[in-house]
Amino acid sequence: MDARLRRVNKEITDCKNDKASNVQIELIDNSPFHLKGTFQGPEDTPYEGGCFDVDIVIPEAYPFQPVKMKFITKVYHPNVSSASGAICLDILKDAWSPVLTLKSTLISLQSLLCSPEPNDPQDAEVAKHYMTSKQSFNDTARYWTHIYAGGPEVSGAVKGSKVTQDDAEQDEIAMAGLEKAHVDQFESLGFPRSKVIEVLRRLNYRGANVAKINEDRVVEELLK
Amino acid sequence: MPETQRASLVDKNACEAVRREEWEVLESIFPDFLSNDTYTAEGRIELVVPVELTEGPSRKVVIVPPDEQAQQDSSRTDCSIQPSLSLTTLPPITLVLILPLDYPLHRPPIISGLHATCGWLSTEKLKLLERTLLSVWEVEQEQGGGEGRAILYDWVEMIRSAESCLGMLGMMTDDDFAGSHPCRIKHPVPALLAERLMSFDAKTRLERFSQTNYACEVCLSSIKGAKCISLACGHVFCKACLVDFWGLCISEGDVDRVGCPDPGCVKQGTKASEEDVRRVVDSEEVTRWKWLKEKKELEKDPTIVHCPMGFCQHPVKKPMQVENGSGWERLRTCAACGYSFCAYCRRTWHGPHTNCPITFSEEFVVKYMGLEEASEEKIMLQRRFGKGNLEKLVRQFEEDKANRDWLDKSTMACPGCGVRTEKSMGCNHMTCGKCSQHFCYRCGEKLLVSDPYGHFSRKGHPCYQKLFDFESVQDDWQPVEGLDF
């Protein structure tokens, strides 16, 4: 179908010529059907300052079938799988229209970062975190943006006060959106740190939830 | 040369220059209205000027017979029974003019012919129009101290715009433009004129549409309207793109997507009208589209059984008003091919009281396949049932088995309607395309519409934290060909 090639080429050229929008598209392996889209994290969100890469695969029947997109850059967001980068967005499924372009779809992804839909989550754990404590969620999302998307250094609470020798471990705690004090508390009982992080993250041991989760319950999980 | 004669020669030269200039102006602004291609000194000009009712969508026109003229004022409501049309353009008024040598300074143009195409203006109205046009020149002459000026451009503008043209003919009052009062045309045979006006309007619209360039948002090119289609919702796309889009949807059986490609229309789920579908795809595809739509509608009914005739496969409904348990509830008669069959065993109808003939069970086929070639028992079975029949059964069994294996391995049945679904990507929360049931693709359990994701966060459940399957297909172990130990 050379109509597909013509349209994709046009879209790539249009995107190159449009200096005003901050969405870029480039070829991944010299095929116009496997591309990489890049956009900036939206302002006034934890993703601000980050640069997000999206893997784009143009299906055979494009533009009559939706384009396949997933995040290459790791993103901490309720509608994006933190492990695979898969995206839950209606226009990538049933609401796709042949009028939508790579650029408009990337812009939709950008605005998805502005407005998470925790009730239709792609990543249940992240969604729970978002619902429990918006502040803590934002800190973690900002930290991920810093680590993976080249966002600005995170100041304050997340990066603890005495960060010197065990920087890497500190990272792990912030990455999971947990608090160092909580991890230390259970680690001191003799559990391996990574296990503690895994369990606390799974239990959503954050914000108001901490008071609701019995310590015995955590230990029980740790012993499993 | 006498003084007066010289003066009139100078005058005539001046007139000639103004006339030429006027012609050039008309030619550059209204080239479509001029019948003659080049300027001629004799000064015969034919102007064909359509009357544009609106710039916008359309305007109401009512046609009344002339004898109603007297009662017109007393019975305004009567217009509702007269043809009321929505038009954008009225057929052109043709002006045949002869420009005297001393036009425009001393004499007005001579109107040698004036008529309206389709005869939508009565002789009386045409006379009024002629008088009005001429009076415009006379007023100019008076104001210009005895010298007239080139008037044709003004005339064209006066006729072209419905406000001034119908206004000066008293066919539309000022408040018509503010309110919804239609413009009124008198004609002895309203129905006939209505038909002519409609067909002229349609032709004009079509011409205008085909000459305009449209940006097709699917192929992202600018395309002449002649190669475009304006859908019922008003969105315009190039025909080639719609042919590809709808053709693909129809061939893949995705009838619900046969609609306007505009994102707004897609979100609303607007489906294409039959008229639009006919304008886009060929008759074979239209037939398939209609068939698919019908099938989809029928399949909402769980009692549907498909006709077992291989060439037919028509969905057959359960007969109405049949008592359950009477045996008759098994009877189905295909509306398409007339085949009557039993809904249980899918064989030719065997009456309400006879049990379904014993089908060659899976067990039987497996047993037959397991028998040694040329063994006594096998030969006996072959004699009894016919070798060909048995071979056919074996083929059918193997095919069914392969089908079933594939279905079990690669698909999940919707717990609502049983339709098989194959997932290519995305999360395990599925919504059935047919019955809208939410279900888990991993285990086939029904999910709550209010909390479909709760299923994946229920601890201890095999699907806990399995909204996504992360293993990639490429990692699956594949036997290496040629490495057969």
Side-chain angles (χ1 to χ4, degrees), chain A residues 137-151:
Chain A
F137 166 83
N138 280 345
D139 287 342
T140 309
R142 202 169 290 120
Y143 190 66
W144 279 48
T145 306
H146 167 60
I147 296 290
Y148 297 116

Side-chain angles (χ1 to χ4, degrees), chain B residues 305-334:
Chain B
V305 171
H306 289 268
C307 173
M309 285 292 164
F311 63 87
C312 181
Q313 309 266 309
H314 193 78
V316 187
K317 275 192 169 181
K318 190 178 168 175
M320 295 294 202
Q321 294 161 338
V322 168
E323 212 178 300
N324 271 338
S326 66
W328 286 105
E329 77 272 13
R330 300 180 299 191
L331 170 65
R332 297 285 189 280
T333 305
C334 175

